[in-house]
Amino acid sequence: MYNIAAVSFGELFLKGKNRGSFEQRLTDQIKYALKDFNGVTVYKDSGKVYVETKNHEDMDQIIERVRKIFGISNISPSVKSGKDVDAIIDKTLELFAYLLEKKDIKTFKVKTNRTDKNFPIKSMDFNALVGGKILEKFRSVKVDVHNPDVEIYIDIKKSCYISTDRIKSLGGLPVGSNGRALLLLSGGIDSPVAGYMIAKRGVEIDALYFHTYPFTSERANEKVLKLKEKLEEYCGKMKLHSVNMLEVHKAIREFCREEETTILARRFMMRIAEKIAVENKMDMLITGESLGQVASQTMKSMVVIEEAITMPVLKPLVGLDKTEIIKIAKEIGTYETSILPYDDCCSVFAPAHPLINPRLENIKRSESKLNIPDLIEKVLATREIM
Ligand code: ATP
Ligand code: MG
């Protein structure tokens, strides 16, 4: 029955002077999310975006896709009708008959919104007119303006749209409305969730993955690629950079103490990420760290790791328990991929007893044995866009 979805934006960001560009951005994102559907057109009509399809059986799937785009507050499955009075009444009756078949409706209400003031009947009068027609045709139902089983919403703009339900969306701000950041994306549970949370606040993200090929497998790469694709359902198109950390690990192993490996390697990761972020005009990094979860995520470790760079690091999961993170991972659909067994980081180089209380001066002394710029250059030379 439904051949068009009316998409309403969140209110917050709509007030400013950027409204037009946000609307355009959201329209583009909706088009991108629906690129593999045939017969779909996306257009604006006074304050809402409409997704019209020639194949109404695609509607549920279309709504499921669009619902994931940040910055949308709700979506109404609708039918589009001609704009003359009789056409609207006919379509409304047709929709009402369809609804009656699907659910038990005893009471209803009609609500008209007349944006097009050229439409000849005022909203209140039109409510009464259409309501009367419904009562005439469907003898079992009554009007209830306070608590109806169904509200028929007739929105008269350039075209006329008739709907009954609002499907709540994920909220957030449109991606791209709030700057750009680089997500350090591993194959684990946490970092995809971290990326999701920051993208939800309107940040456009690219991802960076560190591998240690041949010690980490091709399958680990594929897993990260799959996570990126899952994230794209929410964040829009993302670039996934990957680099090989092998040279760094070899140097650390040769010149430094084993228990310092994790901290040293993570300082390198931060430096490399910062470089790639700057190059791509991104202002912050994002990681999936949560305070106290593992040795490198103690307060002291975080301080020492981040001392290597000046760029701020967003850690949206910092105060969450693992069970809370897992819950979100399941909701957004990354969990099943994240728990696949292929490891993203190389166990060959992982220390048996990592430091939990690293001291910056010790770490710096160890680093003085390494040629940092040279190692960074070697890692950056392995860069690929996956
Ligand atoms: P995750 O579940 O995200 O893998 P984790 O619990 O394994 O996190 P760590 O290994 O300490 O924790 O990593 C902390 C953060 O550092 C990750 O959330 C991620 O943002 C980043 N990170 C770790 N390993 C990699 C990697 N191989 N590639 C890219 N980023 C990484
Ligand atoms: Mg991990």
Side-chain angles (χ1 to χ4, degrees):
M1 177 81 207
Y2 299 105
N3 64 342
I4 194 156
V7 181
S8 304
F9 302 141
E11 291 301 318
L12 265 180
F13 67 93
L14 282 180
K15 306 226 152 74
K17 57 180 187 293
N18 292 328
R19 178 184 177 132
S21 71
F22 288 157
E23 279 186 3
Q24 188 54 50
R25 211 181 265 279
L26 273 176
T27 309
D28 292 345
Q29 274 163 11
I30 292 170
K31 283 183 188 159
Y32 182 72
L34 300 176
K35 62 186 181 316
D36 49 341
F37 285 89
N38 288 322
V40 168
T41 33
V42 181
Y43 64 90
K44 284 183 272 187
D45 189 355
S46 13
K48 285 190 189 176
V49 166
Y50 292 87
V51 181
E52 188 167 7
T53 174
K54 293 205 177 89
N55 312 308
H56 63 86
E57 64 281 4
D58 288 346
M59 203 34 127
D60 287 349
Q61 273 188 59
I62 287 175
I63 289 175
E64 197 40 43
R65 294 265 181 102
V66 175
R67 213 179 62 81
K68 291 178 175 165
I69 297 169
F70 298 130
I72 289 169
S73 64
N74 61 67
I75 305 169
S76 297
S78 310
V79 289
K80 190 174 178 179
S81 102
K83 260 176 70 174
D84 54 291
V85 173
D86 288 341
I88 298 176
I89 291 173
D90 285 351
K91 260 287 178 236
T92 307
L93 293 175
E94 194 188 326
L95 176 61
F96 205 89
Y98 169 79
L99 291 172
L100 269 179
E101 239 170 58
K102 283 204 345 183
K103 51 189 168 191
D104 183 27
I105 299 169
K106 296 206 164 54
T107 56
F108 75 97
K109 165 187 177 180
V110 178
K111 189 176 164 197
T112 304
N113 176 44
R114 190 176 60 124
T115 306
D116 176 7
K117 299 297 181 211
N118 290 324
F119 186 72
I121 306 176
K122 287 199 172 138
S123 301
M124 289 299 225
D125 299 338
F126 199 58
N127 292 344
L129 175 64
V130 178
K133 296 284 180 194
I134 292 175
L135 289 172
E136 243 171 55
K137 177 148 188 197
F138 305 99
R139 297 287 173 169
S140 63
V141 297
K142 283 202 248 135
V143 173
D144 178 350
V145 289
H146 300 296
N147 194 17
D149 294 337
V150 62
E151 180 179 295
I152 310 280
Y153 182 65
I154 303 176
D155 204 4
I156 304 170
K157 306 173 159 179
K158 273 194 207 108
S159 294
C160 174
Y161 311 92
I162 309 162
S163 63
T164 55
D165 286 310
R166 283 180 172 191
I167 297 165
K168 214 172 136 24
S169 197
L170 297 174
L173 300 171
V175 164
S177 65
N178 217 355
R180 289 155 53 78
L182 183 64
L183 168 68
L184 278 69
L185 180 64
S186 71
I189 295 169
D190 305 333
S191 44
V193 174
Y196 167 86
M197 287 177 77
I198 297 300
K200 188 170 179 193
R201 299 312 302 158
V203 178
E204 184 179 345
I205 58 184
D206 271 2
L208 169 61
Y209 165 57
F210 299 96
H211 62 86
T212 323
Y213 191 78
F215 292 95
T216 53
S217 66
E218 280 292 344
R219 286 171 121 183
N221 285 11
E222 281 158 24
K223 179 178 165 184
V224 176
L225 198 56
K226 222 165 147 185
L227 287 170
K228 173 208 111 133
E229 278 163 9
K230 195 75 205 167
L231 280 177
E232 282 183 321
E233 292 176 16
Y234 305 91
C235 313
K237 207 171 163 64
M238 265 166 85
K239 235 193 235 173
L240 173 58
H241 308 260
S242 75
V243 291
N244 190 340
M245 289 284 281
L246 187 60
E247 289 303 318
V248 167
H249 280 291
K250 284 203 305 212
I252 292 174
R253 176 136 94 171
E254 189 170 346
F255 298 107
C256 309
R257 288 164 49 212
E258 190 202 322
E259 64 264 36
E260 291 179 341
T261 307
T262 308
I263 300 287
L264 289 166
R266 289 192 62 79
R267 279 170 64 90
F268 271 98
M269 283 163 66
M270 290 295 152
R271 291 181 180 112
I272 290 156
E274 185 183 47
K275 273 210 172 343
I276 293 177
V278 168
E279 228 175 74
N280 286 278
K281 302 194 170 43
M282 303 185 134
D283 294 319
M284 297 197 192
L285 302 179
I286 307 164
T287 69
E289 288 163 295
S290 139
L291 201 49
Q293 200 186 80
V294 292
S296 61
Q297 295 174 18
T298 61
M299 185 95 70
K300 288 267 191 289
S301 296
M302 284 189 191
V303 171
V304 172
I305 289 166
E306 272 170 65
E307 194 272 346
I309 58 170
T310 57
M311 184 172 274
V313 183
L314 290 168
K315 297 182 271 284
L317 312 185
V318 75
L320 298 187
D321 293 344
K322 195 75 188 187
T323 51
E324 294 171 306
I325 300 169
I326 288 174
K327 186 164 172 275
I328 303 173
K330 285 183 175 164
E331 281 165 11
I332 66 174
T334 53
Y335 183 75
E336 292 305 319
T337 306
S338 288
I339 59 171
L340 293 173
Y342 328 117
D343 219 342
D344 57 288
C345 64
C346 169
S347 45
V348 180
F349 299 105
H353 304 286
L355 288 180
I356 52 172
N357 245 331
R359 294 180 53 145
L360 186 57
E361 57 281 20
N362 295 343
I363 294 296
K364 286 196 160 169
R365 200 175 312 123
S366 299
E367 279 182 348
S368 69
K369 298 171 202 154
L370 306 171
N371 185 340
I372 295 174
D374 178 60
L375 284 169
I376 290 177
E377 211 167 289
K378 281 189 173 132
V379 172
L380 284 174
T382 67
R383 193 158 132 205
E384 282 174 299
I385 305 229
M386 288 169 74

